[in-house]
Amino acid sequence: TAGSWIYIGTQGILQGTYETFAAVGNKLAAEGRHPARSLEGAAAPGSTEGPLAGTLTLTGGCGGMGGAQPLAVTLNDGACLIVDVDESRLRRRVGKRYLDEVETDLDTAIAKVQAAKDERRGWSVGYVGNAAEVFPELLARHKAGEVTFDVVTDQTSAHDPLSYLPEGITVAEWHTEAEADPEGFTKKAQASMARQVQAMVEFQDAGAEVFDYGNSIRDEARKGGYDRAFEFPGFVPAYIRPLFCEGLGPFRWVALSGDPEDIAVTDKAIKELFPENTHLHKWLDAAADRVEFEGLPARICWLGYGERAKAGLLFNQLVKEGKVKAPIVIGRDHLDSGSVASPYRETESMKDGSDAVADWPLLNALTAASSGATWVSIHHGGGVGIGRSIHTGQVSVADGTDLAAQKLERLLTNDPGMGVIRHVDAGYDRAIDVANERGVRIPMNESAESK
């Protein structure tokens, strides 16, 4: 995904994970299954509590991408227990303030997250252990009523079995064993994944909200012999697709001046542009406080069709008026509504069965190029492994000129617009409504043509 140049390190996955966990909490509330919120999905009147307040999430994997999970949960005011075999990964995340503390005693870890849940307080604990062993143990305790997990997921490096530590092998032995017998190691890893996924399915049977977080663990568990592996959904069809139907997705930008103050100026401008979006404001405040820049100062947030173009024009105006010290580069993550084909992630379980149809990223690339993008890239991988997805990146430079404004308005309208069109074509009613409401012309679908 770094092929688009605008890769910004863990901030990107943190923000997408923040949005995902917010959607999980909202779904639980809408279904009347949230332990602490009303059926309408709102917190108590006047409350500023996040969507996960009063819930407990269990997950695994605190490495490169998975390390975003504990902070994403706590920013939504939930409690989180995250399991990782490698204590150094957990300690590293504490150092970056993505994780609150590390425990090596399971009873103590459970007590701490249970207290946070009871107090409706965001708090995360990393437990050192193998998820294939710990998840079944926690399932037993969940069934016995000793602790109740409301949400269960995983973001270990399951897409690469050599990066998933099987039961019975220590961290110190890991790489030696994998290099000595990669085929045998893979089979052992898949067997352990099968055990972990079995526990996840049985958590779902016992009432928890369970989802695959795009790391192919279900398919690896299937290869490991577990035939119920696909009984819980991927996160996109479960929570994110309704947002994709609105062209809602990642919008990111980089300050070419290298001065963090320019990002502070843009944060403030975005909040003023969208004054009613308290969820967005909470993210921007948290990012300013908790996120370390990796490389040039950068920011990401989720904006919808129409909003991205407004933000792009605003940034171009900031450059023109000298309110920032240099041009701003604008792009997005590959996790978007119309720029990717990924059957185990973004396009899993499409309504019309078009999960693996790869035309859409190519159309997106052509549209971005003809709309005036500064550069366009086509790449694959994206968390699910090489060969299992294809997606397009687009980037544009806001340099304060009138020409840049024209290009930005076209690009940042058409790019998310392709997401609306893609979901109209697949038959999603919400996408058809959005197209009609916001004037997205879709000639191949008369019911969605703008009026």
Side-chain angles (χ1 to χ4, degrees), residues 50-119:
L52 289 177
T55 68
L56 176 54
T57 293
L58 168 64
T59 187
C62 205
M65 294 179 69
Q69 295 177 104
L71 181 54
V73 172
T74 58
L75 288 180
N76 281 295
D77 295 328
C80 178
L81 179 62
I82 185 165
V83 180
D84 199 296
V85 292
D86 189 343
E87 185 172 348
S88 68
R89 290 178 185 165
L90 297 171
R91 297 289 177 192
R92 189 180 310 125
R93 290 302 175 178
V94 171
K96 296 291 186 180
R97 298 195 299 157
Y98 276 43
L99 177 66
D100 291 312
E101 61 178 318
V102 178
E103 272 296 340
T104 56
D105 180 77
L106 187 57
D107 291 332
T108 304
I110 291 172
K112 288 181 174 180
V113 292
Q114 184 64 56
K117 174 182 178 176
D118 293 343
E119 296 164 15

Side-chain angles (χ1 to χ4, degrees), residues 25-343:
N26 290 331
K27 178 177 181 284
L28 288 174
E31 295 176 353
R33 297 168 52 218
H34 195 296
R37 289 171 68 191
S38 67
L39 185 61
E40 289 75 24
S47 172
T48 58
E49 284 186 338
L52 289 177
T55 68
L56 176 54
T57 293
L58 168 64
T59 187
C62 205
M65 294 179 69
Q69 295 177 104
L71 181 54
V73 172
T74 58
L75 288 180
N76 281 295
D77 295 328
C80 178
L81 179 62
I82 185 165
V83 180
D84 199 296
V85 292
D86 189 343
E87 185 172 348
S88 68
R89 290 178 185 165
L90 297 171
R91 297 289 177 192
R92 189 180 310 125
R93 290 302 175 178
V94 171
K96 296 291 186 180
R97 298 195 299 157
Y98 276 43
L99 177 66
D100 291 312
E101 61 178 318
V102 178
E103 272 296 340
T104 56
D105 180 77
L106 187 57
D107 291 332
T108 304
I110 291 172
K112 288 181 174 180
V113 292
Q114 184 64 56
K117 174 182 178 176
D118 293 343
E119 296 164 15
R120 304 163 69 92
R121 171 172 53 90
W123 191 255
S124 60
V125 176
Y127 175 69
V128 183
N130 191 312
E133 298 170 344
V134 178
F135 274 47
E137 169 63 23
L138 293 174
L139 173 66
R141 298 188 184 211
H142 177 91
K143 289 181 175 179
E146 297 175 22
V147 60
T148 299
F149 290 96
D150 305 287
V151 180
V152 179
T153 187
D154 173 77
Q155 210 169 53
T156 56
S157 297
H159 65 282
D160 175 12
L162 298 181
S163 297
Y164 183 102
L165 186 64
E167 301 163 84
I169 299 176
T170 67
V171 173
E173 299 167 333
W174 191 338
H175 298 298
T176 302
E177 293 280 340
E179 289 173 8
D181 181 14
E183 186 175 338
F185 190 97
T186 293
K187 290 180 179 178
K188 290 177 182 177
Q190 289 169 338
S192 289
M193 284 188 239
R195 189 173 181 215
Q196 182 186 347
V197 169
Q198 180 178 349
M200 294 172 71
V201 169
E202 292 181 10
F203 264 115
Q204 180 173 261
D205 293 342
E209 182 74 7
V210 181
F211 62 95
D212 178 302
Y213 213 172
N215 62 350
S216 294
I217 195 169
R218 290 171 300 172
D219 197 43
E220 296 300 327
R222 177 190 62 80
K223 294 175 184 175
Y226 184 54
D227 60 7
R228 294 185 64 195
F230 280 86
E231 289 195 14
F232 58 85
F235 76 105
V236 171
Y239 318 109
I240 303 300
R241 187 150 297 141
L243 307 180
F244 281 175
C245 287
E246 299 184 24
L248 190 68
F251 177 89
R252 62 173 61 170
W253 62 98
V254 174
L256 291 183
S257 65
D259 188 341
E261 180 57 30
D262 279 358
I263 293 298
V265 170
T266 57
D267 283 349
K268 182 174 183 290
I270 285 286
K271 290 168 72 173
E272 291 173 351
L273 186 62
F274 305 110
E276 305 301 321
N277 192 335
T278 56
H279 181 69
L280 170 63
H281 288 207
K282 184 170 184 176
W283 158 253
L284 292 172
D285 291 341
D289 179 52
R290 302 286 288 271
V291 172
E292 295 182 13
F293 296 132
E294 298 181 39
L296 290 172
R299 185 68 76 230
I300 182 173
C301 66
W302 274 32
L303 296 175
Y305 179 83
E307 294 177 330
R308 299 193 211 186
K310 288 180 182 178
L313 290 173
L314 171 66
F315 288 174
N316 199 59
Q317 194 65 24
L318 292 177
V319 176
K320 183 176 184 178
E321 296 174 1
K323 293 181 178 178
V324 292
K325 300 175 185 67
I328 294 172
V329 173
I330 301 170
R332 57 159 166 73
D333 185 51
H334 69 89
L335 174 69
D336 203 15
S337 58
S339 60
V340 57
S342 182

